[in-house]
Amino acid sequence: MFGLLVLQSIVQGVTEFLPVSSSGHLVLIWSAASWVGIGDEVTNAEMLTLNVALHVGTLAAVVLYFWRMVLDVARGGIDTLLFRQTYNRRLFLFIVIASLPLMAAGLAVATLVPDAWLLNPIVVATATLVFGLVLLFADIGFGGRRSAQDITFIDALVFGFMQCLALIPGTSRSGITMTAGRMLSINRTDAARLSMVLSIPAIIAAGGYETFSTVSAGNWELSRLALLGAGLAFISAVIAIWLFMRFIRVSDLLPFVIYRVVLAL
Protein backbone atom coordinates (compact mmCIF):
# COMPACT_ATOMS: atom_id res chain seq x y z
CA MET A 1 0.00 0.00 0.00
CA PHE A 2 2.79 2.44 0.93
CA GLY A 3 4.69 1.91 -2.34
CA LEU A 4 1.48 2.29 -4.32
CA LEU A 5 0.75 5.59 -2.57
CA VAL A 6 4.21 6.94 -3.36
CA LEU A 7 3.79 6.03 -7.04
CA GLN A 8 0.35 7.63 -7.15
CA SER A 9 1.59 10.81 -5.48
CA ILE A 10 4.39 11.33 -7.99
CA VAL A 11 2.14 10.55 -10.96
CA GLN A 12 -0.53 12.90 -9.60
CA GLY A 13 1.91 15.76 -9.17
CA VAL A 14 3.45 15.31 -12.62
CA THR A 15 0.16 14.93 -14.52
CA GLU A 16 -2.24 17.23 -12.63
CA PHE A 17 -1.54 20.31 -14.75
CA LEU A 18 -0.60 18.52 -17.96
CA PRO A 19 -3.44 17.92 -20.46
CA VAL A 20 -3.32 14.13 -19.93
CA SER A 21 -5.78 13.54 -17.02
CA SER A 22 -4.20 12.94 -13.64
CA SER A 23 -7.33 11.26 -12.28
CA GLY A 24 -7.35 8.95 -15.29
CA HIS A 25 -3.78 7.91 -14.53
CA LEU A 26 -4.70 7.21 -10.92
CA VAL A 27 -7.61 5.01 -12.01
CA LEU A 28 -5.31 3.04 -14.30
CA ILE A 29 -2.72 2.63 -11.53
CA TRP A 30 -5.37 1.28 -9.16
CA SER A 31 -6.68 -1.06 -11.85
CA ALA A 32 -3.20 -2.38 -12.63
CA ALA A 33 -2.46 -2.83 -8.93
CA SER A 34 -5.67 -4.81 -8.42
CA TRP A 35 -4.64 -7.23 -11.18
CA VAL A 36 -1.63 -8.25 -9.13
CA GLY A 37 -3.45 -8.19 -5.81
CA ILE A 38 -2.07 -4.92 -4.45
CA GLY A 39 -4.37 -2.56 -2.59
CA ASP A 40 -7.37 -4.91 -2.67
CA GLU A 41 -8.19 -3.95 0.91
CA VAL A 42 -8.89 -0.35 -0.13
CA THR A 43 -12.52 0.47 -0.91
CA ASN A 44 -13.63 2.64 -3.85
CA ALA A 45 -14.64 5.40 -1.43
CA GLU A 46 -11.20 5.36 0.22
CA MET A 47 -9.59 5.34 -3.19
CA LEU A 48 -11.41 8.49 -4.22
CA THR A 49 -10.52 10.13 -0.89
CA LEU A 50 -6.82 9.45 -1.47
CA ASN A 51 -7.11 10.77 -5.02
CA VAL A 52 -8.62 14.04 -3.81
CA ALA A 53 -5.93 14.35 -1.11
CA LEU A 54 -3.32 14.21 -3.85
CA HIS A 55 -5.19 16.97 -5.69
CA VAL A 56 -4.96 19.08 -2.54
CA GLY A 57 -1.17 18.72 -2.63
CA THR A 58 -1.12 20.00 -6.17
CA LEU A 59 -3.38 22.89 -5.12
CA ALA A 60 -0.60 24.19 -2.90
CA ALA A 61 1.79 23.89 -5.84
CA VAL A 62 -0.31 25.95 -8.24
CA VAL A 63 -0.95 28.63 -5.62
CA LEU A 64 2.79 28.87 -4.97
CA TYR A 65 3.77 29.02 -8.66
CA PHE A 66 1.03 31.45 -9.73
CA TRP A 67 0.94 33.48 -6.53
CA ARG A 68 0.95 36.78 -8.44
CA MET A 69 -2.08 35.78 -10.50
CA VAL A 70 -3.81 34.45 -7.39
CA LEU A 71 -3.14 37.81 -5.72
CA ASP A 72 -4.64 39.56 -8.77
CA VAL A 73 -7.79 37.46 -8.37
CA ALA A 74 -8.02 38.42 -4.70
CA ARG A 75 -7.60 42.08 -5.60
CA GLY A 76 -10.27 41.61 -8.23
CA GLY A 77 -12.69 40.50 -5.52
CA ILE A 78 -12.06 43.76 -3.70
CA ASP A 79 -12.44 45.73 -6.94
CA THR A 80 -15.77 44.00 -7.52
CA LEU A 81 -17.06 45.05 -4.10
CA LEU A 82 -15.92 48.62 -4.78
CA PHE A 83 -17.35 48.62 -8.36
CA ARG A 84 -13.96 49.33 -9.90
CA GLN A 85 -13.66 48.52 -13.60
CA THR A 86 -10.24 46.81 -13.67
CA TYR A 87 -8.65 43.77 -15.29
CA ASN A 88 -8.36 42.17 -11.88
CA ARG A 89 -12.13 42.50 -11.50
CA ARG A 90 -12.69 40.79 -14.85
CA LEU A 91 -10.26 38.04 -13.85
CA PHE A 92 -12.07 37.50 -10.54
CA LEU A 93 -15.47 37.34 -12.23
CA PHE A 94 -14.05 35.00 -14.87
CA ILE A 95 -12.91 32.54 -12.17
CA VAL A 96 -16.24 32.74 -10.34
CA ILE A 97 -18.45 32.37 -13.42
CA ALA A 98 -16.32 29.60 -14.94
CA SER A 99 -16.35 27.66 -11.65
CA LEU A 100 -20.10 27.67 -10.99
CA PRO A 101 -21.14 25.12 -13.67
CA LEU A 102 -18.53 22.62 -12.45
CA MET A 103 -19.61 23.04 -8.83
CA ALA A 104 -23.23 22.30 -9.71
CA ALA A 105 -22.37 19.39 -12.00
CA GLY A 106 -19.87 18.00 -9.49
CA LEU A 107 -22.48 17.95 -6.75
CA ALA A 108 -24.87 16.09 -9.04
CA VAL A 109 -22.22 13.54 -9.98
CA ALA A 110 -21.18 12.98 -6.36
CA THR A 111 -24.82 12.38 -5.43
CA LEU A 112 -26.06 10.34 -8.38
CA VAL A 113 -23.12 8.61 -10.07
CA PRO A 114 -21.74 5.38 -8.52
CA ASP A 115 -18.07 5.39 -7.50
CA ALA A 116 -17.46 2.32 -9.65
CA TRP A 117 -18.26 4.30 -12.80
CA LEU A 118 -15.73 6.96 -11.82
CA LEU A 119 -13.09 4.24 -11.51
CA ASN A 120 -13.80 2.37 -14.76
CA PRO A 121 -10.65 2.03 -16.93
CA ILE A 122 -12.73 1.64 -20.12
CA VAL A 123 -14.35 5.02 -19.49
CA VAL A 124 -10.90 6.50 -18.83
CA ALA A 125 -9.45 5.08 -22.06
CA THR A 126 -12.36 6.33 -24.19
CA ALA A 127 -12.29 9.85 -22.75
CA THR A 128 -8.49 9.98 -22.99
CA LEU A 129 -8.63 9.22 -26.71
CA VAL A 130 -11.64 11.33 -27.69
CA PHE A 131 -10.78 14.48 -25.77
CA GLY A 132 -7.11 14.16 -26.72
CA LEU A 133 -8.11 14.44 -30.38
CA VAL A 134 -10.41 17.36 -29.55
CA LEU A 135 -7.46 19.08 -27.87
CA LEU A 136 -5.37 18.62 -31.02
CA PHE A 137 -8.13 20.10 -33.18
CA ALA A 138 -8.41 23.14 -30.90
CA ASP A 139 -4.66 23.67 -30.69
CA ILE A 140 -3.93 23.58 -34.42
CA GLY A 141 -7.26 24.84 -35.75
CA PHE A 142 -7.40 28.21 -34.03
CA GLY A 143 -4.98 31.10 -33.78
CA GLY A 144 -3.51 32.74 -30.69
CA ARG A 145 -4.39 36.36 -31.30
CA ARG A 146 -5.99 36.85 -27.87
CA SER A 147 -4.48 36.96 -24.37
CA ALA A 148 -5.77 36.70 -20.81
CA GLN A 149 -6.29 40.47 -20.89
CA ASP A 150 -9.10 39.94 -23.41
CA ILE A 151 -11.31 37.57 -21.39
CA THR A 152 -15.05 38.25 -21.43
CA PHE A 153 -18.25 37.00 -19.81
CA ILE A 154 -18.84 34.69 -22.77
CA ASP A 155 -15.33 33.26 -22.42
CA ALA A 156 -16.06 32.47 -18.77
CA LEU A 157 -19.22 30.58 -19.70
CA VAL A 158 -17.39 28.58 -22.38
CA PHE A 159 -14.63 27.65 -19.93
CA GLY A 160 -17.22 26.81 -17.29
CA PHE A 161 -19.38 24.46 -19.34
CA MET A 162 -16.38 22.85 -21.03
CA GLN A 163 -14.87 22.24 -17.59
CA CYS A 164 -17.92 20.14 -16.65
CA LEU A 165 -16.71 17.53 -19.13
CA ALA A 166 -13.74 16.95 -16.81
CA LEU A 167 -16.10 15.02 -14.54
CA ILE A 168 -15.79 12.22 -17.08
CA PRO A 169 -12.66 10.38 -15.88
CA GLY A 170 -9.88 10.54 -18.44
CA THR A 171 -11.00 13.85 -19.94
CA SER A 172 -8.44 15.97 -18.07
CA ARG A 173 -9.63 19.19 -16.45
CA SER A 174 -6.52 21.05 -17.56
CA GLY A 175 -6.83 19.54 -21.03
CA ILE A 176 -10.47 20.48 -21.55
CA THR A 177 -9.99 24.03 -20.24
CA MET A 178 -6.94 24.50 -22.45
CA THR A 179 -9.10 23.21 -25.30
CA ALA A 180 -11.65 25.89 -24.45
CA GLY A 181 -8.96 28.56 -24.37
CA ARG A 182 -7.47 27.54 -27.70
CA MET A 183 -10.95 27.40 -29.31
CA LEU A 184 -11.40 30.98 -28.11
CA SER A 185 -8.09 31.87 -29.84
CA ILE A 186 -6.27 32.54 -26.57
CA ASN A 187 -2.53 31.93 -26.89
CA ARG A 188 -1.17 28.71 -25.36
CA THR A 189 0.67 30.32 -22.46
CA ASP A 190 -2.31 32.35 -21.26
CA ALA A 191 -4.71 29.47 -21.88
CA ALA A 192 -2.51 27.36 -19.60
CA ARG A 193 -2.31 30.08 -16.96
CA LEU A 194 -6.09 30.52 -16.91
CA SER A 195 -6.57 26.75 -16.81
CA MET A 196 -4.26 26.30 -13.84
CA VAL A 197 -5.66 29.15 -11.76
CA LEU A 198 -9.18 27.96 -12.59
CA SER A 199 -8.30 24.63 -10.96
CA ILE A 200 -8.06 26.26 -7.53
CA PRO A 201 -11.83 26.58 -6.73
CA ALA A 202 -12.53 23.06 -8.03
CA ILE A 203 -9.78 21.46 -5.94
CA ILE A 204 -10.77 23.42 -2.84
CA ALA A 205 -14.38 22.27 -3.15
CA ALA A 206 -13.59 18.62 -3.79
CA GLY A 207 -10.74 18.45 -1.28
CA GLY A 208 -12.72 20.16 1.44
CA TYR A 209 -15.67 17.80 1.05
CA GLU A 210 -13.52 14.65 1.09
CA THR A 211 -11.37 15.87 4.00
CA PHE A 212 -14.47 16.50 6.09
CA SER A 213 -15.83 13.06 5.24
CA THR A 214 -12.53 11.35 6.15
CA VAL A 215 -12.11 13.14 9.48
CA SER A 216 -15.78 12.59 10.39
CA ALA A 217 -15.36 8.87 9.78
CA GLY A 218 -12.37 8.80 12.14
CA ASN A 219 -10.17 6.99 9.62
CA TRP A 220 -6.89 8.35 10.96
CA GLU A 221 -4.74 5.79 9.17
CA LEU A 222 -6.18 6.88 5.85
CA SER A 223 -5.72 10.51 6.88
CA ARG A 224 -1.99 10.00 7.55
CA LEU A 225 -1.50 8.30 4.19
CA ALA A 226 -3.43 11.07 2.49
CA LEU A 227 -1.21 13.71 4.14
CA LEU A 228 1.95 11.96 2.96
CA GLY A 229 0.57 11.66 -0.54
CA ALA A 230 -0.36 15.34 -0.64
CA GLY A 231 3.21 16.31 0.29
CA LEU A 232 4.78 14.16 -2.41
CA ALA A 233 2.26 15.41 -4.98
CA PHE A 234 3.12 19.02 -4.05
CA ILE A 235 6.83 18.57 -4.72
CA SER A 236 6.40 16.80 -8.05
CA ALA A 237 3.70 19.27 -9.15
CA VAL A 238 5.90 22.32 -8.62
CA ILE A 239 8.58 20.78 -10.84
CA ALA A 240 6.04 19.72 -13.49
CA ILE A 241 4.40 23.17 -13.69
CA TRP A 242 7.77 24.87 -14.05
CA LEU A 243 8.78 22.57 -16.91
CA PHE A 244 5.38 22.66 -18.65
CA MET A 245 5.12 26.46 -18.71
CA ARG A 246 8.52 26.64 -20.36
CA PHE A 247 7.72 23.86 -22.81
CA ILE A 248 4.56 25.42 -24.25
CA ARG A 249 6.37 28.67 -24.99
CA VAL A 250 8.31 26.88 -27.72
CA SER A 251 6.07 23.95 -28.70
CA ASP A 252 2.48 23.01 -29.50
CA LEU A 253 0.46 20.37 -27.64
CA LEU A 254 0.94 17.55 -30.16
CA PRO A 255 3.32 15.52 -27.91
CA PHE A 256 0.62 15.34 -25.24
CA VAL A 257 -2.00 14.27 -27.78
CA ILE A 258 0.27 11.49 -29.06
CA TYR A 259 0.82 10.33 -25.49
CA ARG A 260 -2.94 10.29 -24.85
CA VAL A 261 -3.65 8.24 -27.95
CA VAL A 262 -0.95 5.67 -27.07
CA LEU A 263 -2.13 5.50 -23.44
CA ALA A 264 -5.77 5.06 -24.48
CA LEU A 265 -4.96 2.26 -26.92
Side-chain angles (χ1 to χ4, degrees):
M1 178 64 182
F2 179 79
L4 182 60
L5 175 65
V6 171
L7 175 61
Q8 280 198 134
S9 303
I10 295 174
V11 170
Q12 169 68 32
V14 170
T15 60
E16 171 66 20
F17 300 106
L18 303 183
V20 295
S21 181
S22 59
S23 59
H25 279 75
L26 297 183
V27 169
L28 296 179
I29 288 174
W30 276 108
S31 298
S34 67
W35 292 341
V36 294
I38 299 175
D40 288 342
E41 72 280 4
V42 182
T43 66
N44 283 351
E46 290 174 334
M47 202 180 305
L48 289 174
T49 299
L50 288 173
N51 289 352
V52 173
L54 302 186
H55 281 76
V56 173
T58 57
L59 168 66
V62 74
V63 170
L64 175 64
Y65 189 90
F66 290 101
W67 67 270
R68 289 187 178 87
M69 197 169 182
V70 172
L71 185 59
D72 287 342
V73 173
R75 289 170 175 164
I78 297 175
D79 290 343
T80 300
L81 293 176
L82 298 178
F83 301 100
R84 295 172 180 165
Q85 299 298 322
T86 64
Y87 165 70
N88 287 344
R89 175 179 179 273
R90 284 193 290 119
L91 181 61
F92 171 77
L93 292 177
F94 172 88
I95 298 297
V96 171
I97 294 170
S99 298
L100 291 177
L102 180 63
M103 299 297 180
L107 181 60
V109 168
T111 304
L112 303 174
V113 179
D115 289 348
W117 187 86
L118 297 174
L119 298 167
N120 189 318
I122 299 301
V123 173
V124 171
T126 302
T128 296
L129 176 61
V130 171
F131 290 107
L133 296 176
V134 173
L135 174 62
L136 177 62
F137 168 74
D139 191 45
I140 66 176
F142 298 83
R145 67 181 188 279
R146 302 178 65 210
S147 71
Q149 296 284 337
D150 303 318
I151 53 176
T152 66
F153 175 77
I154 299 300
D155 294 333
L157 289 178
V158 172
F159 268 81
F161 286 109
M162 289 281 281
Q163 190 173 213
C164 291
L165 294 172
L167 294 171
I168 303 173
T171 298
S172 172
R173 194 213 59 82
S174 59
I176 202 64
T177 49
M178 287 192 67
T179 296
R182 296 298 290 136
M183 284 184 171
L184 293 167
S185 297
I186 298 174
N187 66 70
R188 287 189 193 93
T189 300
D190 280 2
R193 292 171 65 237
L194 290 172
S195 171
M196 293 188 187
V197 174
L198 188 56
S199 71
I200 295 175
I203 298 175
I204 289 176
Y209 173 79
E210 290 292 347
T211 299
F212 175 78
S213 299
T214 301
V215 174
S216 297
N219 193 337
W220 299 111
E221 177 62 26
L222 182 60
S223 298
R224 287 195 293 271
L225 289 174
L227 183 61
L228 172 63
L232 293 173
F234 165 77
I235 296 172
S236 54
V238 170
I239 297 172
I241 294 173
W242 184 81
L243 292 174
F244 178 66
M245 292 306 297
R246 278 153 182 76
F247 176 81
I248 61 172
R249 292 173 186 169
V250 296
S251 176
D252 57 26
L253 298 173
L254 179 60
F256 299 101
V257 175
I258 293 174
Y259 173 78
R260 289 181 65 134
V261 171
V262 172
L263 179 64
L265 294 177

